[in-house]
Amino acid sequence: MRNFEILILYLLILCFHTGSLKTCRIKEIKKKIVADCTRIGLHDIPKYLPLNLSELDLSYNDIALLKNNTFERFGVLEILKIDNMNLDIIEPEAFYGLTRLRWLSMKENTFDISSISFRRLFKPLSSLYHLDIRYNLHKFFITPTIEYPFFGDLLDLKDLYMDLAQKPVFNSSGFELLHKLHTIRFEKCYLDQMLNDTLLYLPSSITALQLYKCGSFIPIVESGFLKPFPALMELNMIDTNIKLADALKLLFPFTGKEMTSIIYERIKGSAKQPAFITREMVKYLIEICVHTLVLAQSEIVGYETNSLLAFKYPQCLENLVFTGNRFSLAYGQHLTELIVFAKKTTNLKFFDLSYNAINFNNVKYCNIDALRNDSFRNETYSNGCEIQPTNARTFQNSNLRYSKITEESNMTVSMPVNLTFLRLSHYMTSYMQYGLNFFLKNSSSLRYLDISYLKVSYFPEIYSVTPFNIKYLDFTGVSSMLFIHKSSVPIFQNIKTAILKDSLIDETIRKNGNVFKLFPTVEKFDISFNNVLYLDDDSFYSIQD
Ligand SMILES: *[C@@H]1O[C@H](CO)[C@@H](O)[C@H](O)[C@H]1NC(C)=O
Ligand SMILES: *[C@@H]1O[C@H](CO)[C@@H](O)[C@H](O)[C@H]1NC(C)=O
Ligand SMILES: *[C@@H]1O[C@H](CO)[C@@H](O)[C@H](O)[C@H]1NC(C)=O
Ligand SMILES: *[C@@H]1O[C@H](CO)[C@@H](O)[C@H](O)[C@H]1NC(C)=O
Ligand SMILES: *[C@@H]1O[C@H](CO)[C@@H](O)[C@H](O)[C@H]1NC(C)=O
Ligand SMILES: *[C@@H]1O[C@H](CO)[C@@H](O)[C@H](O)[C@H]1NC(C)=O
Ligand SMILES: *[C@@H]1O[C@H](CO)[C@@H](O)[C@H](O)[C@H]1NC(C)=O
Ligand SMILES: *[C@@H]1O[C@H](CO)[C@@H](O)[C@H](O)[C@H]1NC(C)=O
Ligand SMILES: *[C@@H]1O[C@H](CO)[C@@H](O)[C@H](O)[C@H]1NC(C)=O
């Protein structure tokens, strides 16, 4: 060791010496003893810990070595967390005795999972159902070929989180023995090709596969890559550097099947290649009965007629998200397609086309998983479905023109009957070149409407055949003069939360009079960034009633 390093080490030892005056926090929760030993500068496992611990968290310390039988004395341990400890060497029998352990997390360390001592490390853990060994493949000592350890003793294993090496070898890991394994998450991925046999040895019981952060561009992708997973219901691919066409090709094994979700986010190929969707590209996708489909931030710039919306089972769709691309969904002849599509997607509840037509840096998503939770869903009607940016004033409105009714431009649009959430935030398009009167049908399920920072050249007049029952409305950044007029009264009638930030309310009040009376049931109003300095005494008269 060089002198400099010795000095650093010495200083570290000093720090940890003072730090280690702190002790583990031991609590009893529901008759179980829990020890929280995080961030107290430990170099070893404290001797004073009670032997009847159920949960032990040693994360964020500096324990580089785990010797044989380290945990043997903790016979009833169920949860062990040893994340981020600079853990380097684990002796082969370190986990000896942990037969009741259900949860083991050892992410962000520096050990070598392909070493001999790792091979049978998990042998004693016969009750384990959750294993997390992510962030342990480090670029500087990673070899292209990594042989994964033996998991075949973990007969109860349900979730496995790990990294994916450039050339992973799974053929002697005993995966064929793991019938309960449902979820595999590859957090960091170094693959340079996705071949038919890359994941061949993983168990066919997998129902959820998450493939994240394949950082370098993967030029070779074969359509049988996911074939080992005939039972797959959830596929998440995020920040993976393959061409969108290739990502869609991977759906080949699932044609004609039902899937809970296909989530593709930030699939950008090399150097943000624009992706124009053709029928050929989506030929597998449109044959799948998929309930949640996300194709977000993937540089989609347009789509061919009879491609993106040509689902064979449109009634399967419940959540559809195209957030953060660069296309107008209803441009030109696509408008007709969209109208037909809306009629057929009878179970669509959530639709999100936000942040489109130009690139946005700060794309925000709605938490669609949480929307399944009844009380969260109710909560979104007052607080929104995402964390709202605190500084909402990102760009100015003003060049919008309000469309005067032109007699010949009446248009009837039938909404998906079950559509509850419609999000068109930061959507910019110029396709509407003239004023339109929209007559909406089947809009009675709509509860949540976010058109903040929507930019269209003409804002249509909106009428509905059935009464509106919108609870949450966000018109931030859209001039209120566009929609504060007599045809909009029914739209606002049941609103509980109205977000009208940065929407020229002051000017509207001057020209159109009291805006607030249009919202008779509102409970929460946000009109910040509007230069509204004073309100008349009776501004909220009808609200207080
Ligand atoms: C754990 O052991 C201690 C002493 O060893 C005992 O006082 C305590 O009751 C035990 N707690 C549980 C939940 O078993
Ligand atoms: C730990 O156990 C392994 C395998 O049982 C053995 O080969 C090794 O020598 C042991 N290590 C020590 C330090 O005793
Ligand atoms: C597993 O794969 C590696 C690399 O492809 C190969 O060298 C080895 O022979 C295979 N082992 C078994 C047991 O199939
Ligand atoms: C990979 O699998 C696909 C789908 O089963 C098949 O069409 C293709 O020929 C396979 N490629 C190779 C190189 O075997
Ligand atoms: C709308 O949703 C409800 C409940 O989720 C469902 O019972 C109904 O069948 C759906 N409507 C249509 C037309 O599919
Ligand atoms: C959600 O709100 C509806 C209507 O206000 C109410 O009937 C329902 O009980 C609420 N659900 C939950 C879980 O709070
Ligand atoms: C449902 O949402 C509520 C409110 O956000 C939250 O407190 C609760 O924990 C959630 N329930 C489940 C099962 O996720
Ligand atoms: C369009 O709708 C308006 C409002 O209902 C109506 O007055 C007008 O006659 C309609 N125009 C045509 C061409 O149908
Ligand atoms: C959609 O609206 C039309 C006209 O209002 C109505 O006849 C039809 O029944 C509605 N469809 C559904 C599924 O509610």
Side-chain angles (χ1 to χ4, degrees):
M1 230 189 275
R2 286 171 305 166
N3 283 344
F4 175 68
E5 286 171 346
I6 291 172
L7 177 67
I8 299 265
L9 196 66
Y10 178 72
L11 288 175
L12 278 175
I13 289 168
L14 269 185
C15 293
F16 284 127
H17 186 74
T18 44
S20 65
L21 290 174
K22 294 182 208 153
T23 57
C24 301
R25 298 158 290 268
I26 297 167
K27 276 185 265 179
E28 189 173 328
I29 301 171
K30 289 184 191 157
K31 304 217 159 140
K32 300 205 162 170
I33 315 279
V34 174
D36 175 3
C37 305
T38 55
R39 298 176 201 273
I40 53 170
L42 293 174
H43 297 295
D44 212 339
I45 297 169
K47 299 272 183 289
Y48 55 78
L49 290 173
L51 299 182
N52 51 7
L53 277 181
S54 291
E55 183 174 342
L56 174 59
D57 191 347
L58 293 163
S59 307
Y60 296 94
N61 285 296
D62 196 36
I63 304 175
L65 166 68
L66 291 181
K67 294 200 182 113
N68 287 344
N69 305 314
T70 300
F71 300 102
E72 198 188 5
R73 58 196 158 119
F74 305 115
V76 295
L77 201 61
E78 291 175 6
I79 299 177
L80 176 62
K81 295 176 186 165
I82 46 177
D83 304 329
N84 222 308
M85 302 205 307
N86 295 320
L87 187 54
D88 202 3
I89 298 165
I90 307 182
E91 291 188 353
E93 294 182 357
F95 294 141
Y96 194 81
L98 292 178
T99 50
R100 313 252 303 251
L101 199 70
R102 285 144 45 79
W103 180 290
L104 174 60
S105 176
M106 46 201 295
K107 59 178 188 270
E108 296 178 79
N109 284 296
T110 52
F111 49 73
D112 176 6
I113 61 164
S114 61
S115 66
I116 298 287
S117 63
F118 232 84
R119 183 102 212 113
R120 296 305 295 265
L121 182 67
F122 302 124
K123 189 168 193 258
L125 310 179
S126 53
S127 305
L128 204 69
Y129 76 82
H130 179 99
L131 177 60
D132 187 346
I133 52 171
R134 283 176 293 167
Y135 298 109
N136 279 299
L137 292 185
H138 289 277
K139 272 211 177 101
F140 42 123
F141 71 85
I142 186 182
T143 50
T145 304
I146 296 276
E147 191 178 328
Y148 283 71
F150 189 74
F151 298 106
D153 301 301
L154 310 176
L155 296 179
D156 277 337
L157 196 66
K158 289 196 179 68
D159 318 318
L160 177 58
Y161 294 2
M162 59 186 179
D163 303 325
L164 194 50
Q166 189 177 331
K167 305 240 178 310
V169 178
F170 291 124
N171 62 5
S172 41
S173 290
F175 278 115
E176 67 281 2
L177 303 167
L178 303 186
H179 302 298
K180 294 187 183 166
L181 188 59
H182 291 318
T183 302
I184 287 202
R185 172 163 173 163
F186 293 115
E187 187 73 48
K188 199 77 184 83
C189 138
Y190 301 92
L191 286 182
D192 58 359
Q193 40 189 5
M194 292 179 164
L195 303 181
N196 286 352
D197 58 7
T198 305
L199 304 178
L200 192 62
Y201 290 92
L202 294 182
S204 56
S205 57
I206 299 289
T207 55
L209 184 73
Q210 302 166 357
L211 187 58
Y212 295 163
K213 298 186 209 117
C214 297
S216 39
F217 179 58
I218 303 174
I220 302 163
V221 176
E222 288 180 357
S223 61
F225 177 70
L226 298 177
K227 215 174 168 185
F229 312 112
L232 201 69
M233 295 298 281
E234 293 173 35
L235 174 62
N236 280 32
M237 223 193 289
I238 299 182
D239 286 318
T240 286
N241 240 332
I242 59 179
K243 285 189 247 157
L244 185 62
D246 283 341
L248 292 166
K249 188 168 83 180
L250 292 179
L251 299 174
F252 162 71
F254 313 112
T255 48
K257 295 193 178 170
E258 180 175 359
M259 287 180 78
T260 315
S261 61
I262 298 172
I263 297 182
Y264 283 179
E265 248 175 68
R266 295 188 295 279
I267 306 294
K268 292 185 173 170
S270 61
K272 296 190 172 187
Q273 288 157 331
F276 184 82
I277 305 274
T278 61
R279 171 73 177 207
E280 174 66 20
M281 274 165 77
V282 293
K283 67 180 175 192
Y284 305 131
L285 172 66
I286 61 179
E287 298 271 329
I288 301 171
C289 167
V290 59
H291 299 296
T292 296
L293 175 64
V294 177
L295 295 178
Q297 286 184 282
S298 298
E299 308 293 327
I300 300 173
V301 291
Y303 65 106
E304 200 173 79
T305 311
N306 204 13
S307 64
L308 188 59
L309 302 180
F311 288 90
K312 192 167 171 194
Y313 310 102
Q315 73 282 5
C316 292
L317 284 168
E318 288 170 29
N319 305 298
L320 185 57
V321 177
F322 293 135
T323 303
N325 288 295
R326 291 191 270 146
F327 72 114
S328 291
L329 193 66
Y331 182 75
Q333 59 193 2
H334 290 321
L335 183 58
T336 329
E337 266 192 278
L338 191 62
I339 288 170
V340 174
F341 180 73
K343 270 195 187 151
K344 290 194 287 191
T345 46
T346 45
N347 287 303
L348 192 68
K349 294 183 182 68
F350 180 92
F351 182 62
D352 194 342
L353 192 60
S354 301
Y355 301 91
N356 252 298
I358 62 163
N359 260 323
F360 290 92
N361 290 330
N362 226 343
V363 173
K364 299 229 157 37
Y365 292 88
C366 193
N367 190 345
I368 43 178
D369 280 338
L371 290 179
R372 292 202 195 106
N373 169 339
D374 282 344
S375 51
F376 178 79
R377 201 176 331 121
N378 279 2
E379 211 174 271
T380 65
Y381 298 149
S382 60
N383 297 331
C385 67
E386 48 155 324
I387 300 142
Q388 299 284 342
T390 44
N391 182 9
R393 197 176 259 268
T394 35
F395 55 88
Q396 292 292 325
N397 49 50
S398 73
N399 61 351
L400 292 164
R401 280 159 292 175
Y402 172 42
S403 63
K404 286 290 167 222
I405 295 186
T406 37
E407 287 288 300
E408 64 282 6
S409 58
N410 288 355
M411 179 167 219
T412 304
V413 178
S414 197
M415 310 253 298
V417 278
N418 269 336
L419 191 69
T420 314
F421 292 85
L422 178 58
R423 212 167 157 257
L424 293 170
S425 175
H426 295 84
Y427 182 69
M428 313 178 96
T429 180
S430 53
Y431 73 86
M432 258 190 253
Q433 294 297 351
Y434 49 87
L436 276 179
N437 304 324
F438 273 135
F439 288 83
L440 295 184
K441 289 207 302 193
N442 308 105
S443 60
S444 58
S445 297
L446 194 63
R447 298 284 175 276
Y448 188 102
L449 179 63
D450 178 357
I451 58 162
S452 52
Y453 300 107
L454 177 79
K455 267 201 157 189
V456 290
S457 351
Y458 287 93
F459 199 83
E461 289 249 19
I462 296 170
Y463 305 89
S464 177
V465 179
T466 47
F468 283 104
N469 194 5
I470 300 174
K471 302 252 184 260
Y472 178 95
L473 182 82
D474 189 344
F475 275 6
T476 298
V478 179
S479 166
S480 54
M481 277 184 291
L482 296 174
F483 54 84
I484 303 290
H485 49 76
K486 62 178 183 339
S487 79
S488 52
V489 173
I491 302 182
F492 302 147
Q493 66 187 355
N494 288 324
I495 285 177
K496 281 163 83 177
T497 303
I499 315 285
L500 305 173
K501 290 186 280 201
D502 192 11
S503 58
L504 306 178
I505 295 254
D506 48 339
E507 214 173 316
T508 312
I509 291 176
R510 247 180 289 130
K511 293 187 178 155
N512 300 28
N514 189 347
V515 168
F516 306 104
K517 282 185 174 152
L518 292 173
F519 299 86
T521 57
V522 86
E523 289 166 6
K524 183 169 164 184
F525 232 128
D526 187 342
I527 52 164
S528 41
F529 305 108
N530 271 302
N531 301 325
V532 179
L533 296 180
Y534 64 92
L535 295 169
D536 291 341
D537 287 348
D538 67 342
S539 290
F540 288 91
Y541 193 75
S542 59
I543 295 172
Q544 286 157 356
D545 273 350

